[in-house]
Amino acid sequence: MSSWSLKRERRGAPLFPVNHPIRIVLDYALILLGALIMGVTFNMFQLPNKIASGGISGLSIVLEEVFGWVPAITQYAFNIPLFILGVMLLGKQFGIRTLVGSIAMPSFIFLTSDLSAATYNPLLASIFGGIGIGLGLGLVFHGRGSSGGNAITAQLIHTYLGISRPLAIAMCDGIVIILAGVLLSFEDAMYALIGLFVMSKTLDVVQVGFSYTKVAFIITDKTDEMSTAILKDLNRGLTKLQGEGGYTGEGRIVLMVVVGQTEVIKLKQLVQSVDSNAFVIISDTNEVLGEGFKIPT
């Protein structure tokens, strides 16, 4: 193995390029696995307990309770026309992966519809339903796919009304939860909010992981000594930023260094040993990509 390959392996570079056939197969496998998890979660937690936590799937729960419509058919009825409308109005940016996601989830909901409810406790159902949907959706996103429905609706709202995509998604989810509160019960809407919150947090974990790195900004009169200590003793790279004192107007160098959680104590001790009067700001950062940290897959 070449030194370049070893370096890529150490840095966590993806084994296959984005358009490599094996990578494409893995992407679709992730989309299908994520859709399966969401389908099972829907039938075991959300549907039996009427946890309509937004999206087309949440709307299908409301319509099933009010009109008796089969959720899988309802989702087909919304997802496929929305996909076609998205392609017509916004172009082919959605691609085959969005079509697969739009069809796969209701298909798995239909195929697993005979599964028994895991619980009839609505609080447990909203929590574990949120975890399952967040996990499945995260896998779909890792496969560079989409579950359709809300994602397409939000893109259309963003394009034609100028509303940001996150706000558009929140609006769509909010409408579904309001419908649940009006057509089902206010208590059902509250549980749906819990499920939506848990889903969003689970999705964050799946996408960025549990490990939070730290970014430190160091202002010191001993810039050279501090830089040398960080480079040699901590074995971390750093960046020198040009700053200016707000009161004095004097130019200053600000050192920026990114470290793992386990290195924070060592960094603080190192700074203290070099310059006890140094000014240090340490804050969380969810994801760092590049040399010494993980590379996007």
Side-chain angles (χ1 to χ4, degrees):
M1 183 179 291
S2 67
S3 60
W4 169 244
S5 298
L6 287 171
K7 184 178 181 181
R8 284 171 60 84
E9 184 176 322
R10 284 196 301 268
R11 290 172 59 187
L15 185 58
F16 303 106
V18 171
N19 293 319
H20 193 285
I22 295 180
R23 173 61 190 273
I24 293 174
V25 171
L26 291 174
D27 283 347
Y28 282 107
L30 285 172
I31 293 172
L32 293 175
L33 177 60
L36 173 61
I37 292 173
M38 287 191 287
V40 170
T41 299
F42 180 89
N43 283 318
M44 294 186 69
F45 294 99
Q46 293 186 320
L47 182 61
N49 293 278
K50 300 182 289 185
I51 309 297
S53 298
I56 300 300
S57 61
L59 180 61
S60 71
I61 291 175
V62 175
L63 296 178
E64 194 271 344
E65 287 293 318
V66 176
F67 300 109
W69 296 351
V70 178
I73 303 302
T74 301
Q75 292 182 40
Y76 281 131
F78 279 95
N79 281 349
I80 295 176
L82 278 173
F83 175 80
I84 296 172
L85 184 64
V87 172
M88 290 174 57
L89 297 180
L90 303 175
K92 298 179 180 179
Q93 60 175 295
F94 295 110
I96 190 67
R97 285 182 172 84
T98 300
L99 178 60
V100 170
S102 299
I103 295 175
M105 183 177 173
S107 297
F108 283 125
I109 287 175
F110 178 77
L111 293 172
T112 61
S113 59
D114 291 333
L115 290 175
S116 301
T119 179
Y120 285 102
N121 182 313
L123 180 58
L124 288 177
S126 61
I127 293 173
F128 285 93
I131 292 173
I133 297 297
L135 173 60
L137 196 56
L139 292 176
V140 170
F141 288 165
H142 272 297
R144 296 179 293 158
S146 167
S147 60
N150 249 19
I152 300 175
T153 305
Q155 183 63 45
L156 289 168
I157 293 173
H158 169 70
T159 301
Y160 289 97
L161 298 181
I163 298 173
S164 69
R165 278 183 288 269
L167 178 57
I169 291 174
M171 288 170 55
C172 294
D173 289 336
I175 290 172
V176 173
I177 291 174
I178 290 172
L179 284 175
V182 173
L183 299 177
L184 302 181
S185 72
F186 185 70
E187 189 174 80
D188 288 329
M190 290 191 292
Y191 284 124
L193 277 173
I194 293 173
L196 184 62
F197 176 80
V198 174
M199 183 274 290
S200 66
K201 293 303 179 183
T202 304
L203 182 59
D204 285 343
V205 170
V206 174
Q207 293 190 98
V208 304
F210 282 105
S211 61
Y212 287 81
T213 50
K214 305 284 185 177
V215 59
F217 296 93
I218 305 167
I219 301 174
T220 174
D221 293 327
K222 300 179 179 179
T223 303
D224 293 336
E225 296 94 322
M226 191 71 70
S227 299
T228 301
I230 292 172
L231 290 168
K232 291 185 177 181
D233 298 341
L234 199 60
N235 195 28
R236 282 292 180 194
L238 57 85
T239 300
K240 294 181 179 181
L241 307 175
Q242 294 291 336
E244 181 179 304
Y247 179 73
T248 64
E250 296 179 355
R252 301 185 68 90
I253 298 294
V254 180
L255 302 179
M256 184 185 75
V257 58
V258 178
V259 297
Q261 282 186 321
T262 58
E263 298 170 310
V264 173
I265 298 299
K266 187 175 181 180
L267 174 65
K268 292 194 289 186
Q269 292 173 342
L270 185 149
V271 171
Q272 184 71 18
S273 66
V274 175
D275 182 6
S276 59
N277 295 316
F279 184 77
V280 184
I281 301 172
I282 300 176
S283 60
D284 290 326
T285 180
N286 286 343
E287 190 167 21
V288 180
L289 308 175
E291 185 68 51
F293 293 89
K294 63 182 179 179
I295 302 297
T297 57

